[in-house]
Amino acid sequence: MALKDTIQSLLTQVQSMSAANAEELEALRIKYLSKKGEITALFNEFRLVPADQKRELGQLLNQLRQEAEARINDLKEQISNQQSAISNVRQDLTRTPDPIALGTRHPLSLVREEIVDIFSRIGFTVAEGPEVEDDKHVYGMLNFAPEHPARDMQDTFFVEKEMGVQKPTDILLRSHTSSVQTRVMTSQKPPIRVLCPGRVYRNEAISARAHCFFHQVEGLYVDKNVSFADLREALLYFSKEMFGADTKIRLRPSYFPFTEPSAEMDISCNICGGKGCSFCKGTGWVEILGCGMVDPNVLESCGIDSKVYSGYAFGMGVERITNLKYRVKDLRLFSENDVRFLRQFESC
Ligand code: PHE
């Protein structure tokens, strides 16, 4: 093909060039305009053209090169416009500039919710009450005699009625959530089936094993014909759900003013499976809660006829259950808010 025809045919090709993206465009540039490109090759051929044709062909060749360069520049602009249109669509101007750092749920909240969830499956609902309470609801109605040493035993924080004036007072920070049970029993008629989760306070020096506040979940069931066997079944069900189907329980006689008979419950050590290890001090058992049949005096003081109704109650420390489940041995970790500790519960 004569040089002129080749130039004409390339000119039509160049005019109809199209590219969908930057890679395709670069391929076109290489095809036509790079050192080994088709247009560059024509310039080499041009050197051999007879002198009388040089003027005409030279003009044509220059036109071809300019058109190719112009077309490639146009396509480049088109492609970058398309891309910014796409990124504009993705932009949400109402978003905050930085990704929002999500927090994690506190291990005690996780465990409290799990306890509540397990008992809710057998009909328990949640009741809450005040943390600043009166003596009547925390002790008096729960069968503690007026001078009962348990008030000291539980190391109660009393609240001064008048700021700065030390006076004997019956306002205190609740030392157990049994106070919520007395409130529920005085305001509702049986059948009653409630869980009382919440924070409690005791005047103890802060160490790895004791704190001046901690968390409890207590439970109460009052109805006709509620028996100790019902209590045992409910606690066995809870222990298996919480610590695994192989978990065994054992009830040891104990004493609480508000329950009779009373017991403390152990579960088979969930580390060694009951064989005995350093965690359970070789016994195979670990204590997790207190429980018993609601003392008839308590039912009566709350206006419930103890000849018609009976009930069971239990109470456990959320920190204790969390320690067993997640091996958090130092109680202080729960309230120090160290994110390195808290982040370990991200996937729980
Ligand atoms: N209130 C008791 C405590 O704080 C726990 C408990 C609740 C025991 C109900 C028996 C029955 O230690």
Side-chain angles (χ1 to χ4, degrees):
M1 212 198 283
L3 184 56
K4 191 174 171 181
D5 294 336
T6 316
I7 295 173
Q8 293 292 6
S9 115
L10 280 182
L11 203 55
T12 32
Q13 278 184 37
V14 159
Q15 280 159 350
S16 60
M17 276 193 306
S18 70
N21 52 42
E23 289 78 41
E24 283 184 29
L25 184 64
E26 178 60 4
L28 287 175
R29 192 193 63 76
I30 292 170
K31 181 171 189 301
Y32 294 110
L33 293 170
S34 68
K35 270 192 189 155
K36 290 184 181 159
E38 291 179 29
I39 295 174
T40 321
L42 293 186
F43 274 92
N44 294 336
E45 247 181 76
F46 175 72
R47 274 189 252 133
L48 309 172
V49 163
D52 61 336
Q53 294 176 22
K54 274 212 155 121
R55 191 183 155 83
E56 187 200 0
L57 287 176
Q59 270 179 0
L60 267 178
L61 253 182
N62 276 331
Q63 189 198 342
L64 172 63
R65 185 165 62 186
Q66 279 161 13
E67 288 219 11
E69 282 170 355
R71 182 76 190 141
I72 283 180
N73 280 340
D74 282 355
L75 288 173
K76 197 175 188 174
E77 206 167 306
Q78 267 177 31
I79 289 169
S80 83
N81 284 347
Q82 273 166 15
Q83 267 167 356
S84 63
I86 292 169
S87 58
N88 275 345
V89 170
R90 289 207 193 111
Q91 261 171 33
D92 173 0
L93 298 177
T94 61
R95 278 185 61 169
T96 48
D98 298 313
I100 300 164
L102 286 180
T104 57
R105 293 203 299 158
H106 193 280
L108 293 178
S109 304
L110 290 168
V111 171
R112 186 197 56 215
E113 275 166 38
E114 195 174 348
I115 299 169
V116 169
D117 184 53
I118 292 171
F119 280 105
S120 72
R121 282 181 247 144
I122 52 169
F124 282 81
T125 54
V126 168
E128 280 178 349
E131 292 180 19
V132 181
E133 261 290 6
D134 53 25
D135 184 279
K136 195 171 87 178
H137 287 93
V138 180
Y139 297 119
M141 294 165 82
L142 285 164
N143 206 31
F144 287 79
E147 299 306 323
H148 198 290
R151 284 178 182 74
D152 288 339
M153 223 166 75
Q154 295 203 342
D155 293 318
T156 310
F157 280 117
F158 288 92
V159 176
E160 294 166 22
K161 262 190 196 143
E162 285 172 50
M163 288 291 283
V165 182
Q166 196 78 41
K167 272 187 173 180
T169 163
D170 68 347
I171 305 296
L172 46 87
L173 299 183
R174 67 182 180 195
S175 56
H176 54 183
T177 56
S178 306
S179 53
V180 185
Q181 304 184 2
T182 51
R183 288 189 176 273
V184 170
M185 282 191 281
T186 40
S187 62
Q188 291 175 28
K189 288 193 169 29
I192 292 169
R193 198 165 4 204
V194 286
L195 281 182
C196 312
R199 182 175 282 187
V200 301
Y201 301 83
R202 293 184 193 179
N203 188 5
E204 301 213 19
I206 297 172
S207 70
R209 298 169 61 90
H211 210 293
C212 58
F213 64 79
F214 59 97
H215 301 80
Q216 285 188 325
V217 178
E218 295 210 356
L220 171 74
Y221 176 36
V222 181
D223 202 351
K224 289 177 181 152
N225 301 319
V226 177
S227 70
F228 200 91
D230 296 328
L231 169 63
R232 190 186 175 282
E233 279 310 301
L235 295 178
L236 179 62
Y237 155 77
F238 163 73
S239 305
K240 285 175 182 280
E241 290 292 306
M242 192 75 190
F243 296 105
D246 297 334
T247 310
K248 295 182 184 58
I249 63 168
R250 110 180 151 176
L251 291 156
R252 285 180 287 102
S254 184
Y255 171 77
F256 299 102
F258 35 90
T259 46
E260 180 59 35
S262 304
E264 272 166 329
M265 189 184 91
D266 301 336
I267 57 164
S268 49
C269 177
N270 68 329
I271 296 186
C272 61
K275 287 189 201 80
C277 66
S278 62
F279 188 77
C280 59
K281 298 190 186 78
T283 62
W285 297 96
V286 282
E287 186 197 319
I288 66 162
L289 56 80
C291 59
M293 300 306 291
V294 182
D295 193 295
N297 289 342
V298 173
L299 293 175
E300 294 293 338
S301 73
C302 295
I304 294 173
D305 188 344
S306 64
K307 284 179 218 73
V308 180
Y309 295 104
S310 56
Y312 67 66
F314 57 85
M316 66 189 93
V318 180
E319 279 80 352
R320 174 84 181 139
I321 308 286
T322 311
N323 176 5
L324 285 169
K325 245 191 123 88
Y326 296 114
R327 305 275 158 272
V328 181
K329 293 216 180 99
D330 191 330
L331 279 177
R332 292 169 292 196
L333 285 166
F334 290 126
S335 48
E336 278 167 355
N337 282 337
D338 185 333
V339 289
R340 289 168 302 179
F341 168 69
L342 297 173
R343 287 219 176 102
Q344 293 175 45
F345 297 88
E346 236 157 28
S347 58
C348 298

